[in-house]
Amino acid sequence: MTTVPRFYADSADVDAVTELLADGLVHGVTTNPTILERGGRTVTDIPELYARWDAEGAREIFFQAWGATTAEMLGHADAILTLGDKAVVKVPATRIGFAAASALARRGADVLVTAVYSPAQALAAATLGARYIAPYLGRLNDAGRDGLSEISVMQELVAASGTEVLAASLRSPGDIVDLALHGVTCFTAAPRVLLEALQHEVSDRSSAEFDAAVARGLA
Ligand code: E4P
């Protein structure tokens, strides 16, 4: 089976996200309440952000549900899903979040279980029919764990299910490549990291040489 890898912008910096969407460089946009806050936004901005990114061509737009109870989380999840068919709900990998994920998946909704920190949580999300799990590579490493090896175990555990690993907390293009070598195909990262993945100084030098040859030929 052929699988085309996908990049997602993990950001609520609308100018940076717009640049990536306009140039067709990402499949979609992922957010959570922390990312909204970093972008100077709050959950009240979710409908506006959805409309903007939908119009700009995002194929999947992720917002996170919140709440102290499963019912409360499901209420917010429903509001996110009614935004449109590009909306994907994220829920945290907590007791309440797993219950919400189960209810949403049973209704046929695409749900991403986020902040997955153990292979057991990854497997649990797959048993519930989650569309995606998001383990955090950088934060696993920050916690003194071997993030790459843990995520590769998660990838192996869910590979035969309908659940995909959408890796997050990626801080360099090398993080993306390392995970891709272990079978991960979906990556969300800050726009800076994604743009860095496109760039290489030798490519830039080669491009300048091509331009110079064109200019010499036209002189
Ligand atoms: C994603 O949902 C996470 O918030 C994000 O990837 C965390 O990245 P960081 O650990 O580099 O802050």
Side-chain angles (χ1 to χ4, degrees):
M1 191 185 73
T2 313
T3 305
V4 178
R6 302 197 289 279
F7 282 175
Y8 296 82
D10 201 22
S11 176
D13 173 340
V14 289
D15 291 337
V17 172
T18 293
E19 180 189 339
L20 292 169
L21 288 171
D23 287 342
L25 299 175
V26 290
H27 187 82
V29 187
T30 60
T31 69
N32 61 33
T34 314
I35 287 171
L36 291 175
E37 189 176 41
R38 277 189 208 148
R41 301 288 183 148
T42 72
V43 292
T44 60
D45 295 311
I46 287 176
E48 178 203 327
L49 292 171
Y50 179 88
R52 180 177 175 140
W53 292 332
D54 184 25
E56 290 173 348
R59 281 172 280 175
E60 286 179 297
I61 305 169
F62 296 70
F63 293 108
Q64 194 160 319
W66 66 98
T69 63
T70 305
E72 205 184 324
M73 197 172 281
L74 285 173
H76 293 301
D78 284 338
I80 290 167
L81 289 170
T82 57
L83 293 169
D85 64 2
K86 315 282 171 47
V88 183
V89 179
K90 294 172 72 173
V91 297
T94 59
R95 176 70 183 80
I96 287 171
F98 277 111
S102 175
L104 290 163
R106 273 181 277 133
R107 285 185 218 158
D110 280 348
V111 56
L112 178 149
V113 178
T114 192
V116 168
Y117 280 91
S118 77
Q121 288 179 317
L123 190 60
T127 68
L128 303 178
R131 174 79 183 81
Y132 296 104
I133 54 167
Y136 291 8
L137 179 70
R139 292 187 188 202
L140 276 163
N141 291 335
D142 292 346
R145 313 246 298 272
D146 180 347
L148 181 58
S149 118
E150 299 226 15
I151 296 176
S152 79
V153 169
M154 295 181 201
Q155 167 66 30
E156 203 176 327
L157 285 171
V158 303
S161 71
T163 303
E164 284 184 276
V165 172
L166 197 168
S169 192
L170 306 175
R171 297 172 183 167
S172 72
D175 286 345
I176 296 173
V177 172
D178 288 343
L179 287 164
L181 287 169
H182 287 83
V184 176
T185 55
C186 301
F187 308 93
T188 190
R192 173 192 63 76
V193 173
L194 298 176
L195 290 172
E196 216 180 299
L198 308 183
Q199 198 269 336
H200 194 284
E201 60 185 16
V202 184
S203 306
D204 291 345
R205 232 174 16 243
S206 301
S207 174
E209 286 164 15
F210 300 145
D211 289 344
V214 170
R216 284 193 298 274
L218 296 176

